[in-house]
Amino acid sequence: MMMADMARILVALSGGVDSAAAAALLTEQGHEVVAAYMKNWVNDENIPGECPWERDIEDALGVCRKLGIEFRVVDLIEQYRSRVVNYLIEGYRNGSTPNPDVLCNREMKFGVLLDYALEQGFEGVATGHYANRLDVEGDGSYILRGADVNKDQSYFLALMRPEQVAKAVFPVGQITKPQVREIARRFGLPNAEKKDSQGICFIGQVKMSDFLRHYLPDNPGDIVGLDGKVLGRHDGLHLFTMGQRHGHHVASPREGVAYVVVGKDLEHNRLILGYEGQDTPGLYARSAVVGSVTNTLHPLPERVMAQPRYRAAAVHATCTPLDAQRVRLDFDEPVRALALGQVCAFYAPDDRRGERLLGGGFFEKIES
């Protein structure tokens, strides 16, 4: 996002190349830039996996030295545990499929960190998200999809509140990932070739199964088919998600057709498997109820494009309000593998490829 006037901006510098390029661009544009590393997690509980926070801080500091900008480390470990980690653990404990990355943006980057920035006299918080902000006079600020269709991260911003969107800055939203790396090379940034992180938000290269096992004990139960026949055993329903094809270790008797997860029977602790196909009960949804809807400047329109997961395509749906924060979605075409607790992002259906983000919420009820 380009800003018309010079501003004092706090950049959330993660140690990765995207936020580093964001800081470089803002500095080049003449803004007063200060960088802050959010210290959210240090893995002092020895969960298997790599928590690279020390290296990330070193990389972030190297970027700031190269750009000649101030660097701060902001300790948010306590807030991250209470706002994100506990949500993640309790979600899986209750049989839902939480998304910590989406909540991290609302509660941490544009929550606790934004509050800190405003208290320190900054006018906004910048990140390396591939997204854009659109300010409409008399109508407020909206988030738009990033220009790089392969890296667009607007989905992860779906739960942000309007007042948070108004203070968000996305310097790399109008460019592509290759261009970001080229910018990092042009500025001589030390992390120009650093690989993208694939781990849990701010936790690092920790397998979700290992993370969950540290907090949730295995709870073995039966794996059954749609007819109730026992097919095997599982270690815990929280280790599986809807539509999952692998990891259940049950071989299908049908050649070339694998079993997929189509349901969880929480009452009897049973994992339910079925075959791929729109006629498989539980695998495809025709409607759903989404609750705790946020980010909307106005009531959602009758027609929306709904995106149920990060890499899933947005689909057209009829949107019916149920109350102030709950809507019913009736999809034009059945949608595969929806899961309770997943985040659904809403986009406007009347612009190019559904670019304008209208809001988001959590799946509360799913109907086949």
Side-chain angles (χ1 to χ4, degrees), residues 101-150:
D101 299 283
V102 178
L103 204 69
C104 182
N105 286 317
R106 185 182 74 185
E107 297 298 320
M108 300 303 297
K109 292 183 186 127
F110 297 105
V112 179
L113 186 67
L114 176 59
D115 290 342
Y116 167 84
L118 297 177
E119 291 170 1
Q120 294 289 313
F122 295 95
E123 296 170 57
V125 166
T127 66
H129 282 104
Y130 289 84
N132 289 292
R133 196 184 90 194
L134 173 67
D135 299 324
V136 180
E137 187 174 356
D139 195 33
S141 300
Y142 292 89
I143 290 173
L144 303 179
R145 290 190 185 275
D148 189 332
V149 296
N150 295 315

Side-chain angles (χ1 to χ4, degrees), residues 2-62:
M2 298 295 292
M3 303 183 70
D5 302 314
M6 297 302 101
R8 189 165 186 254
I9 303 171
L10 185 69
V11 178
L13 201 60
S14 67
V17 67
D18 298 326
S19 58
L25 288 172
L26 291 173
T27 302
E28 186 176 54
Q29 292 163 12
H31 299 289
E32 183 183 345
V33 177
V34 174
Y37 177 86
M38 296 168 55
K39 188 178 179 182
N40 292 344
W41 187 260
V42 295
N43 197 17
D44 54 4
E45 300 178 51
N46 297 317
I47 300 172
E50 180 188 3
C51 179
W53 66 273
E54 291 174 309
R55 181 194 167 186
D56 288 340
I57 287 180
E58 182 179 335
D59 289 342
L61 179 58

Side-chain angles (χ1 to χ4, degrees), residues 26-220:
L26 291 173
T27 302
E28 186 176 54
Q29 292 163 12
H31 299 289
E32 183 183 345
V33 177
V34 174
Y37 177 86
M38 296 168 55
K39 188 178 179 182
N40 292 344
W41 187 260
V42 295
N43 197 17
D44 54 4
E45 300 178 51
N46 297 317
I47 300 172
E50 180 188 3
C51 179
W53 66 273
E54 291 174 309
R55 181 194 167 186
D56 288 340
I57 287 180
E58 182 179 335
D59 289 342
L61 179 58
V63 168
C64 292
R65 285 171 174 163
K66 191 67 178 180
L67 296 176
I69 61 176
E70 181 185 342
F71 178 61
R72 304 178 183 182
V73 176
V74 184
D75 189 334
L76 301 177
I77 292 176
E78 182 178 343
Q79 296 94 323
Y80 184 75
R81 179 174 290 278
S82 64
R83 297 189 182 208
V84 180
V85 175
N86 289 347
Y87 149 81
L88 176 66
I89 295 168
E90 290 307 309
Y92 278 106
R93 191 195 307 276
N94 296 328
S96 66
T97 303
N99 190 314
D101 299 283
V102 178
L103 204 69
C104 182
N105 286 317
R106 185 182 74 185
E107 297 298 320
M108 300 303 297
K109 292 183 186 127
F110 297 105
V112 179
L113 186 67
L114 176 59
D115 290 342
Y116 167 84
L118 297 177
E119 291 170 1
Q120 294 289 313
F122 295 95
E123 296 170 57
V125 166
T127 66
H129 282 104
Y130 289 84
N132 289 292
R133 196 184 90 194
L134 173 67
D135 299 324
V136 180
E137 187 174 356
D139 195 33
S141 300
Y142 292 89
I143 290 173
L144 303 179
R145 290 190 185 275
D148 189 332
V149 296
N150 295 315
K151 295 294 294 183
D152 166 51
Q153 294 172 311
S154 58
Y155 171 85
F156 292 115
L157 308 172
L159 297 184
M160 286 174 59
R161 301 180 182 93
E163 62 271 21
Q164 295 174 316
V165 176
K167 298 294 184 180
V169 184
F170 306 117
V172 304
Q174 296 178 3
I175 58 180
T176 65
K177 182 72 176 196
Q179 290 174 315
V180 162
R181 291 206 180 273
E182 184 55 41
I183 288 169
R185 295 186 195 104
R186 175 163 63 85
F187 280 89
L189 302 184
N191 59 355
E193 309 302 330
K194 186 176 181 179
K195 292 182 179 180
D196 293 342
S197 171
Q198 301 297 323
I200 308 170
C201 177
F202 279 98
I203 290 179
Q205 304 302 318
V206 178
K207 289 183 179 180
M208 181 63 79
S209 58
D210 290 336
F211 182 84
L212 292 175
R213 278 196 168 100
H214 185 79
Y215 295 100
L216 300 176
D218 285 356
N219 185 21

Side-chain angles (χ1 to χ4, degrees), residues 320-341:
T320 305
L322 300 178
D323 56 42
Q325 287 191 306
R326 294 167 68 245
V327 299
R328 175 186 173 88
L329 296 178
D330 292 290
F331 304 110
D332 289 10
E333 299 291 337
V335 181
R336 184 185 184 278
L338 297 187
L340 296 176

